[in-house]
Amino acid sequence: MSAQGKPFHILRSGQFDRKFLDHICLLTDHIRRLDKSKDGLLYLNRLCQGKRAMLYFTQPSTRTFLSFQSACQILGLATSEIRDSSTSSERKGESIEDSLRTFSSYVDLIIMRTPIPGFCDKVAQMLDETHRPVPIINGGSGPDEHPTQAVLDIYTLSRSFRNFGGIDGKTIMMVGDLKRGRTIRSLSYLLRYYKNVKIIFSSPDEFKIDQDLRDKLLKSQISFEETRAFEEPLAQADAVYMTRVQDEYDVKGESKSVDYHKYHLKYEHLKLMKPNSVIMHPLPRRDELDVRIDNDARAKYWRQERNGMWTRVALIATVLGADSNVILPEL
Ligand code: NCD
């Protein structure tokens, strides 16, 4: 964190506090409002003009990459990208650390996704020791963390519950591969900032949350429950956060032997759910989320995806110190 309480790097969701989340949610509302007029758009476009960002994404990505790229465009930042390390000097035997130090020489910000847990922290630390550190934003670090997804999920939850008392007091059910789903870990850490929230983790035994997350949640005294049940908790949930099997982290195809069918949210389940509940998914989806649900008013995942772009505009503006220039009149 900088002296003003704003982060220099965005590496893990655990670094955010409630004040920061409220700041980003408010900023996102204003950015969305500015986007509605030509003057507003031009205003946003000047906020980071003349600055450059590098998108270093060596793990597959559609939404995160494009939403960050679009967020940079909205703020007037020029971008360069690497999406395959075989096209950089890593192919010539250069270490990833040296490659990233090289990129940092040309840009003002590096946004990165890699399959290696903890790697963003390592790069940030390495750059901090140089004469020209640039901020690092973690766009997903293996099965470990996805802090900007957690922020957009918080924004989506708080918008969805705006007329229902906010996130406080809500029961959030998380379903799927909770062991390797980085969105689950990053979002769960943040829910401790809201009063009387209960998390229900619903998964087969093979995909239960990892001990590190369990320990952190126990320490933070957030109420949570782990269950193999799916339909019973569905009826109690105010929000259901679906996730896919993260089989890219399989060692020997072990996901194939897990019976996952029970954890598919089908159209027929909608009648079990509360009328004002919210259905979320970080996407991409597979069979765990029935496409016939898309037109139900409770389905918020397409909005959640678009919120990703807006919250990333807010996060980049904050990291680059342009957030104070977003005029915040009373909404
Ligand atoms: C998620 C991710 O990459 O962790 N996707 C995303 O960023 N929206 C979820 C996933 O891939 O299952």
Side-chain angles (χ1 to χ4, degrees), residues 138-206:
N138 178 0
S141 45
D144 181 26
E145 279 268 1
H146 199 348
T148 65
Q149 177 77 38
V151 173
L152 77 91
D153 291 340
I154 287 288
Y155 180 74
T156 305
L157 285 167
S158 69
R159 290 271 321 173
S160 306
F161 295 135
R162 183 168 275 195
N163 299 325
F164 304 97
I167 300 176
D168 292 344
K170 300 293 184 291
T171 297
I172 319 280
M173 178 178 171
M174 302 195 182
V175 186
D177 188 344
L178 309 176
K179 190 177 176 61
R180 302 174 294 184
R182 55 191 171 197
T183 64
I184 295 292
R185 180 183 278 101
S186 294
L187 175 59
S188 302
Y189 289 161
L190 297 186
L191 290 170
R192 69 192 146 119
Y193 294 129
Y194 299 85
K195 284 193 209 98
N196 303 321
V197 166
K198 180 178 177 192
I199 310 179
I200 303 178
F201 294 110
S202 161
S203 72
D205 284 345
E206 294 87 340

Side-chain angles (χ1 to χ4, degrees), residues 90-240:
E90 279 175 52
R91 192 60 184 260
K92 298 186 198 167
E94 184 170 59
S95 67
I96 319 181
E97 286 86 347
D98 276 6
S99 293
L100 280 149
R101 183 159 183 182
T102 302
F103 304 148
S104 76
S105 311
Y106 308 124
V107 296
D108 304 287
L109 167 69
I110 296 176
I111 304 162
M112 58 188 288
R113 167 175 284 197
T114 76
I116 313 164
F119 188 66
C120 295
D121 308 72
K122 203 170 153 197
V123 172
Q125 201 179 357
M126 182 262 294
L127 291 180
D128 283 346
E129 285 160 16
T130 68
H131 292 298
R132 192 180 174 278
V134 300
I136 297 288
I137 298 184
N138 178 0
S141 45
D144 181 26
E145 279 268 1
H146 199 348
T148 65
Q149 177 77 38
V151 173
L152 77 91
D153 291 340
I154 287 288
Y155 180 74
T156 305
L157 285 167
S158 69
R159 290 271 321 173
S160 306
F161 295 135
R162 183 168 275 195
N163 299 325
F164 304 97
I167 300 176
D168 292 344
K170 300 293 184 291
T171 297
I172 319 280
M173 178 178 171
M174 302 195 182
V175 186
D177 188 344
L178 309 176
K179 190 177 176 61
R180 302 174 294 184
R182 55 191 171 197
T183 64
I184 295 292
R185 180 183 278 101
S186 294
L187 175 59
S188 302
Y189 289 161
L190 297 186
L191 290 170
R192 69 192 146 119
Y193 294 129
Y194 299 85
K195 284 193 209 98
N196 303 321
V197 166
K198 180 178 177 192
I199 310 179
I200 303 178
F201 294 110
S202 161
S203 72
D205 284 345
E206 294 87 340
F207 293 155
K208 280 170 82 165
I209 55 168
D210 250 344
Q211 193 57 37
D212 71 312
L213 176 56
R214 195 173 293 119
D215 289 344
K216 282 208 172 121
L217 294 174
L218 284 168
K219 218 165 134 200
S220 72
Q221 297 186 330
I222 188 166
S223 156
F224 73 96
E225 174 191 324
E226 296 178 66
T227 178
R228 280 188 213 109
F230 178 69
E231 293 193 356
E232 297 85 335
L234 207 52
Q236 296 169 40
D238 297 295
V240 180

Side-chain angles (χ1 to χ4, degrees), residues 57 59-65 67 113 139-143 145-146 148-149 152-153 180-184 241-246 248-249 281-286 288 304-305 312:
F57 274 60
Q59 203 186 21
S61 176
T62 306
R63 270 149 288 274
T64 307
F65 180 84
S67 64
R113 167 175 284 197
S141 45
E145 279 268 1
H146 199 348
T148 65
Q149 177 77 38
L152 77 91
D153 291 340
R180 302 174 294 184
R182 55 191 171 197
T183 64
I184 295 292
Y241 192 101
M242 299 296 299
T243 65
R244 72 175 170 91
V245 177
Q246 308 281 311
E248 64 269 44
Y249 300 114
H281 193 307
L283 302 175
R285 71 169 149 200
R286 295 182 187 162
E288 71 280 350
Q304 178 187 1
E305 175 177 79
R312 284 169 177 140

